Amino acid sequence: MTTASQEAGQDQRREEAPLDTLSPEERLFRMRHSAAHVLAEAVLEMFPEAKYAIGPPIDHGFYYDFELPRPLTPEDLTRLERRMRGTVYRDVPIEGRWIPKDEARAIFAEQPYKLEMIDEIEDDTVGHFRHAEFDDLCRGGHTERTGQIGAFALTHSAGAYWRGDERRPMLQRIYGALFPTQEELDAWLEAREEAERRDHRRLGRELELFTSSDLVGQGLPTLLPKGATVRRLLEDWVVTLERRAGYQHVYSPVLGKVDLYKRSGHWEHYQEDMFPPMQLEHDEMVLRPMNCPHHILAYETQLHSYRDLPLRIAEFGTMYRFERSGVVGGLSRVRAMSLNDAHIFCTPDQIKSEFAGVMRLVEEVYAVLGITEYSYRLSLRDPADQEKYVDNDAMWDLGQRVLSEAMDELGLDYVTAEGEAAFYGPKLDIQIRDMLGREETMSTIQVDFHLPEQFGLRYIGEDGAEHRPVIVHRGVLGTAERMMAYLIELYAGAFPVWLAPVQATVIPIADRHVDYANEVRDALLRRDLRVEVDDGGDRMGAKIRRAQLQKVPYMLVVGDREAEADAVSMRHRALGDLGPTPLAEAVDRIAGERDAQSLDPEPDGA
Ligand code: TSB
Ligand code: ZN
């Protein structure tokens, strides 16, 4: 058998463009890719029986997956890093060539994952890369020598299924960060540390905001009293804004008959994301993955005229989605979620003004919450995917045009993304980035011509004839869960006064000050403030530290002098000591900050 490369000539070497002719991005890609090889070499030296799988460059570095005789420890990573530095120091060439599959099978005879990949490659030849004594199967894209891979650090290891398939073996994935210079690497590592400090899962535990239990199941967190307080405040606030903006609120059940979702099209296009149905007497019931069908039924209770429109039906609706176990975590991606949802039933002429109205609401909400970094994404269908998206070209074109025109009229820039639409129509998504720079959708505005059709919705127009309304689906806060995850990280747990689960802690210096401390508490309670008295046996310093760790905005220390003067000694978690303050003034200050929904002077006032 002759291979393509043999036909091409004797030279089977894989030529790669010289490093210095590449763009900085391409060069960095090659550095990261080469570092993965250097890592695999180090792992095989340390564990000669290791089986190695794949090792691609990623966003901030690289990883490599291995089957190893035992779980890795942090010390292992340090040792591996040292071995890698040795290879970098020796600065050996990295050489690639095309080889026939049989030759590759001989080289990787002991490596089942490589053999599996060789079998799957369609060409007759495969790429073989080698440096020092280390062989890898690879498409190429490397630095010329191991001395050129830049500044790196192994950050952690984690389990990862071979091919991401839970039925295949669980491998150990070693992650590395890699940048051209040590300064860039240090900056990235520092940012990562800060992100870990703000991680909402960790703060959620430390600040007693929510809990998760294996017994309940993945993606089903419970908000504890403090987290529940934050959610209720967000909810009450937004409902008030919505009421002012002409929304009407309903409550509807979290499940319905499968027939309802067959009618809406969820069953056909969204079933994979739904919990499986349950049999109930003669009916098949299913947990709702979206609130729309119920709101449509609310619309349908009357025959509407154009004068009723736009009709805005809102609900903080709880819904359930079968998110895969690999992606759920904390509060940001869950299986039970409550969406600040609304469905606006309107005439085609009203879509743009409704869109603008929702956008105003989103901007107001974000401004109050201090969310300043977000971008707009026009999410379109993937036209090739007929299963996931309703098949109706004209409808998609129209929806997309309305949304892009609406954005243009508001003078807002956006990117477009194919394959991100809802099954029933395009969306304008508002994208935020979490502390690790990962992008997520928070708010969304969607134009839907499909569900009105499915349910045969109508209104009587000015002309006396029946017309089809349009539905604008929208979420302003997004889900309470995802928004809370984001806010916990944004504020590093230090919620602004109006959202803080506890707004002030009163700290009596000695037992004899507890009575006065209770008076102070009552004064705050009368102004509807959330206050606690720390009357435990600890010394004052320890009490202040505890309140500080709990990120309580105000600490009111009371002793003899304060009790005598009807005053408190006021401390702010970020500003520190504010000195002696008359009680009435202290109450006014805290209540005033609450009413103004002020953000902290130091947003990360940890
Ligand atoms: C806006 N029917 C529409 C609604 O009327 C709808 O459900 N749209 S959605 O599918 O895009 O979901 C709305 C929002 O829920 C998303 O923008 C996102 O912020 C949030 N969300 C989606 N999935 C999850 C999840 N698994 N965990 C937490 N929040 C989620
Ligand atoms: Zn909807």
Side-chain angles (χ1 to χ4, degrees):
M1 188 180 73
T2 47
T3 66
S5 61
Q6 281 166 338
E7 275 166 17
Q10 308 287 46
D11 192 4
Q12 296 183 19
R13 276 193 317 141
R14 291 189 69 156
E15 288 299 340
E16 305 211 293
L19 212 52
D20 52 17
T21 63
L22 300 177
S23 70
E25 293 75 35
E26 287 170 317
R27 218 174 309 156
L28 187 54
F29 178 93
R30 290 196 174 192
M31 291 158 90
R32 289 169 172 168
H33 195 178
S34 302
H37 284 239
V38 174
L39 166 62
E41 179 201 9
V43 170
L44 279 143
E45 270 172 28
M46 215 162 108
F47 302 100
E49 65 276 59
K51 308 289 179 234
Y52 53 131
I54 52 161
I58 50 172
D59 220 8
H60 55 268
F62 57 92
Y63 71 75
Y64 216 118
D65 290 348
F66 303 94
E67 188 184 308
L68 299 173
R70 64 171 173 80
L72 289 164
T73 64
E75 293 72 47
D76 290 332
L77 295 190
T78 312
R79 278 210 294 280
L80 286 169
E81 217 178 270
R82 209 172 310 130
R83 281 176 192 269
M84 289 175 70
R85 292 196 201 293
T87 308
V88 170
Y89 179 78
R90 283 192 295 280
D91 194 22
V92 295
I94 304 177
E95 283 163 334
R97 26 175 225 140
W98 292 106
I99 56 171
K101 277 183 161 181
D102 280 341
E103 192 181 334
R105 284 196 188 94
I107 295 173
F108 297 105
E110 308 291 317
Q111 293 295 338
Y113 301 108
K114 299 292 177 193
L115 292 174
E116 188 176 326
M117 286 187 277
I118 293 170
D119 287 343
E120 282 171 12
I121 294 171
E122 287 189 355
D123 296 344
D124 294 333
T125 57
V126 298
H128 169 227
F129 274 77
R130 191 181 173 98
H131 73 267
E133 298 294 296
F134 173 78
D135 295 294
D136 211 342
L137 178 75
C138 175
R139 268 191 297 266
H142 297 94
T143 56
E144 287 130 21
R145 308 184 65 85
T146 57
Q148 297 167 312
I149 67 174
F152 65 89
L154 297 183
T155 53
H156 63 294
S157 64
Y161 289 109
W162 168 235
R163 298 258 144 105
D165 181 344
E166 66 249 51
R167 289 161 306 191
R168 308 294 308 270
M170 166 80 90
L171 306 176
Q172 297 191 65
R173 176 170 296 175
I174 304 178
Y175 287 94
L178 188 150
F179 291 88
T181 64
Q182 190 66 40
E183 290 73 49
E184 288 161 279
L185 175 66
D186 288 345
W188 186 85
L189 290 171
E190 207 172 293
R192 196 177 88 112
E193 215 169 281
E194 176 65 11
E196 275 168 14
R197 205 174 62 79
R198 289 170 179 257
D199 187 330
H200 80 275
R201 287 164 301 188
R202 172 175 158 183
L203 285 169
R205 205 168 38 242
E206 288 173 6
L207 303 178
E208 297 165 23
L209 297 167
F210 66 95
T211 186
S212 308
S213 150
D214 254 0
L215 206 48
V216 183
Q218 279 191 42
L220 301 169
T222 292
L223 293 183
L224 296 171
K226 287 179 178 166
T229 299
V230 176
R231 171 170 162 182
R232 192 174 52 252
L233 290 159
L234 288 170
E235 206 172 315
D236 289 351
W237 169 53
V238 173
V239 167
T240 304
L241 296 181
E242 284 170 346
R243 220 164 26 80
R244 278 183 210 150
Y247 288 80
Q248 294 170 284
H249 293 83
V250 299
Y251 291 105
S252 59
V254 298
L255 78 178
K257 290 206 269 186
V258 166
D259 302 329
L260 177 63
Y261 303 96
K262 283 188 178 156
R263 171 74 76 85
S264 65
H266 284 85
W267 200 243
E268 188 183 340
H269 300 286
Y270 203 71
Q271 205 182 128
E272 277 194 0
D273 298 285
M274 296 168 67
F275 277 67
M278 49 199 140
Q279 190 70 34
L280 200 74
E281 293 173 340
H282 301 298
D283 295 319
E284 260 196 315
M285 311 295 292
V286 69
L287 286 168
R288 69 176 173 196
M290 293 194 195
N291 307 314
C292 347
H294 286 102
H295 293 184
I296 289 171
L297 297 181
Y299 176 86
E300 272 189 319
T301 52
Q302 283 174 38
L303 177 57
H304 293 284
S305 96
Y306 68 95
R307 284 195 211 84
D308 303 337
L309 306 187
L311 190 76
R312 308 179 186 93
I313 305 279
E315 177 177 14
F316 232 96
T318 301
M319 51 200 205
Y320 296 83
R321 293 186 184 174
F322 176 21
E323 299 283 2
R324 301 305 182 265
S325 50
V327 300
V328 293
L331 289 180
S332 51
R333 190 172 280 270
V334 288
R335 288 175 171 171
M337 64 204 89
S338 296
L339 179 63
N340 169 217
D341 204 354
H343 294 92
I344 303 173
F345 299 82
C346 64
T347 71
D349 289 346
Q350 293 167 335
I351 300 174
K352 282 187 194 162
S353 59
E354 285 306 302
F355 180 93
V358 175
M359 213 40 126
R360 273 197 303 278
L361 203 53
V362 170
E363 279 167 3
E364 177 178 0
V365 164
Y366 281 26
V368 169
L369 293 173
I371 302 175
T372 52
E373 278 174 43
Y374 55 93
S375 60
Y376 302 105
R377 183 182 80 183
L378 180 56
S379 302
L380 307 173
R381 70 170 164 167
D382 171 2
D385 193 341
Q386 307 259 329
E387 226 169 275
K388 196 166 149 200
Y389 301 104
V390 168
D391 181 19
N392 183 338
D393 292 342
M395 187 193 90
W396 284 97
D397 291 345
L398 182 58
Q400 175 178 345
R401 199 174 64 236
V402 174
L403 282 178
S404 60
E405 283 174 10
M407 287 299 278
D408 292 343
E409 282 168 27
L410 295 175
L412 298 173
D413 288 336
Y414 56 86
V415 297
T416 55
E418 264 191 17
E420 296 288 347
F423 75 82
Y424 44 74
K427 317 192 280 174
L428 190 287
D429 289 327
I430 302 177
Q431 304 293 105
I432 49 100
R433 273 178 191 285
D434 73 5
M435 289 299 128
L436 291 170
R438 283 177 307 211
E439 198 177 301
E440 270 177 346
T441 301
M442 195 65 89
S443 314
T444 183
I445 315 177
Q446 314 170 350
V447 179
D448 172 15
F449 301 99
H450 177 69
L451 294 184
E453 200 69 40
Q454 290 298 104
F455 284 87
L457 297 186
R458 55 216 166 104
Y459 66 90
I460 306 299
E462 234 174 319
D463 56 4
E466 284 188 355
H467 297 271
R468 194 72 82 224
V470 181
I471 299 180
V472 176
H473 306 236
R474 50 107 278 188
V476 170
L477 283 178
T479 54
E481 289 77 10
R482 181 167 292 178
M483 179 55 96
M484 284 182 60
Y486 180 73
L487 292 179
I488 292 168
E489 299 191 354
L490 178 67
Y491 304 137
F495 287 99
V497 168
W498 75 278
L499 283 175
V502 178
Q503 295 163 314
T505 301
V506 188
I507 299 177
I509 292 176
D511 280 351
R512 64 177 184 281
H513 305 124
V514 169
D515 282 347
Y516 179 62
N518 288 336
E519 277 177 41
V520 170
R521 177 198 58 204
D522 292 344
L524 270 74
L525 284 177
R526 279 195 295 277
R527 287 287 283 276
D528 257 334
L529 289 164
R530 296 181 291 278
V531 56
E532 279 177 3
V533 178
D534 187 347
D535 55 6
D538 297 325
R539 283 183 304 125
M540 182 181 78
K543 291 179 178 178
I544 289 179
R545 230 171 0 259
R546 184 160 52 233
Q548 193 81 36
L549 280 175
Q550 284 295 305
K551 321 239 176 187
V552 177
Y554 284 100
M555 287 146 271
L556 310 176
V557 181
V558 297
D560 291 333
R561 255 184 309 160
E562 287 79 14
E564 227 156 80
D566 249 340
V568 296
S569 193
M570 210 171 184
R571 267 189 82 85
H572 186 270
R573 64 181 168 203
L575 303 174
D577 192 6
L578 301 173
T581 314
L583 177 56
E585 203 176 291
V587 176
D588 280 346
R589 175 176 177 144
I590 303 171
E593 230 172 88
R594 170 198 59 197
D595 296 342
Q597 294 177 306
S598 317
L599 292 167
D600 260 26
E602 295 269 20
D604 68 357

